[in-house]
Amino acid sequence: MPGTPCWVSLTTQDMRAAQDFYGAVFGWEFEPDVQAEGYVVAHADGQPVAGLVESAQTMGVRLPVAWTAYFVADSADAAASRVRERGGTVAVGPLAFGRGRMAWAADPLDAVFCVWEGPAAAGWQAGRGTGAVAWLELHTRDPFASALFYGGVFEWDAHPDVIDVRYEHDRVMLRTGGRTVAGLYGGVPESGDGAIRPQWHVHFCRDDVDEAAARAGAAHGTVVTPPQDTPLGRTATIRDPEGGLFHLSSIEDEPS
């Protein structure tokens, strides 16, 4: 559905090392995307769940190591125009990429995201406890202003029967199909590493959060926040060996 998250992708400086690390943590298997040169797709239980691309090959622009969230748009060009109209920036695109069109953008507080026009991966968010994405969370200084920005860019109000935006548990929550798929959270997140800036955070499903965190440490990642019980289930915050931040979550259905 236009306006909802549809994919996540890691920009890395060392593709082989990234595959080794995430393969050890999640058991992912990797295959080159034949439609996009230099792009690799991670699979969990045979389903595509995430992408990896080397920063030197990211549309000719060297980007920092990070996980990035993608959102569906009917038209990448129209969405990019709305980004600019609302005070955001478009760094790359819109341009053809793989089986669709995309634009690399940032909101007015500099949180990076991608606009995607094209088919969504069938396996994204399909699994639980397999290394698939559980949900996304924007850590930002003003969640209400951010909700207005993203709602305007992706026209959330145009699909009230499918997209539900509400305020719950100190967050602006985005729900579709009876599930929470993203949250916008204000204030400094309790990640414990001091490198805080507005950004979209990716939460990956793991039934075995403690074991997965231990595997991350053994594979030369950093356990920023050790496994702990939270309203999102048992969670942990990890940085991969290059500094890419992500979260593990034992969440079964949706944040509560």
Side-chain angles (χ1 to χ4, degrees):
M1 171 58 63
T4 60
C6 64
W7 190 242
V8 295
S9 185
L10 174 71
T11 304
T12 176
Q13 295 178 4
D14 189 332
M15 180 67 77
R16 182 68 265 166
Q19 291 183 45
D20 289 343
F21 174 79
Y22 286 97
V25 175
F26 293 118
W28 285 347
E29 297 180 347
F30 303 91
E31 293 182 359
D33 187 337
V34 296
Q35 299 294 325
E37 184 179 356
Y39 199 79
V40 172
V41 178
H43 292 76
D45 293 339
Q47 296 288 345
V49 293
L52 291 81
V53 63
E54 287 191 341
S55 60
Q57 300 181 28
T58 307
M59 295 161 286
V61 178
R62 180 170 288 278
L63 298 167
V65 174
W67 281 99
T68 303
Y70 289 58
F71 293 81
V72 176
D74 284 331
S75 166
D77 294 272
S81 294
R82 292 192 291 268
V83 168
R84 298 186 185 97
E85 290 167 359
R86 288 161 175 79
T89 57
V90 179
V92 178
L95 47 73
F97 187 78
R99 290 171 286 273
R101 287 173 55 76
M102 67 167 296
W104 199 285
D107 67 23
L109 294 178
D110 208 29
V112 174
F113 65 98
C114 279
V115 176
W116 175 251
E117 174 192 345
W124 197 79
Q125 286 195 336
R128 292 296 182 185
T130 63
V133 173
W135 76 312
L136 306 174
E137 186 172 62
L138 175 65
H139 292 178
T140 184
R141 293 189 293 274
D142 190 336
F144 298 103
S146 294
L148 290 174
F149 170 81
Y150 288 98
V153 168
F154 294 109
E155 300 184 317
W156 287 346
D157 289 344
H159 308 283
D161 54 331
V162 178
I163 297 177
D164 179 26
V165 182
R166 63 179 68 180
Y167 180 76
E168 297 176 352
H169 309 292
D170 300 323
R171 290 168 171 83
V172 176
M173 312 297 281
L174 178 66
R175 294 170 56 87
T176 183
R179 285 184 47 211
T180 299
V181 294
L184 293 78
Y185 172 68
V188 177
E190 297 177 359
S191 67
D193 69 349
I196 303 303
R197 62 180 179 82
Q199 69 180 100
W200 283 97
H201 289 238
V202 182
H203 292 248
F204 291 102
C205 298
R206 287 306 315 180
D207 290 336
D208 55 348
V209 168
D210 292 73
E211 182 181 340
R215 290 197 297 269
H220 307 294
T222 301
V223 180
V224 177
T225 303
Q228 58 186 315
D229 293 324
T230 75
L232 304 180
R234 194 151 181 82
T235 68
T237 302
I238 310 293
R239 283 194 184 277
D240 68 26
E242 294 184 295
L245 186 73
F246 65 97
H247 305 266
L248 306 171
S249 177
S250 64
I251 184 171
E252 292 296 331
D253 294 308
E254 62 180 53
S256 61

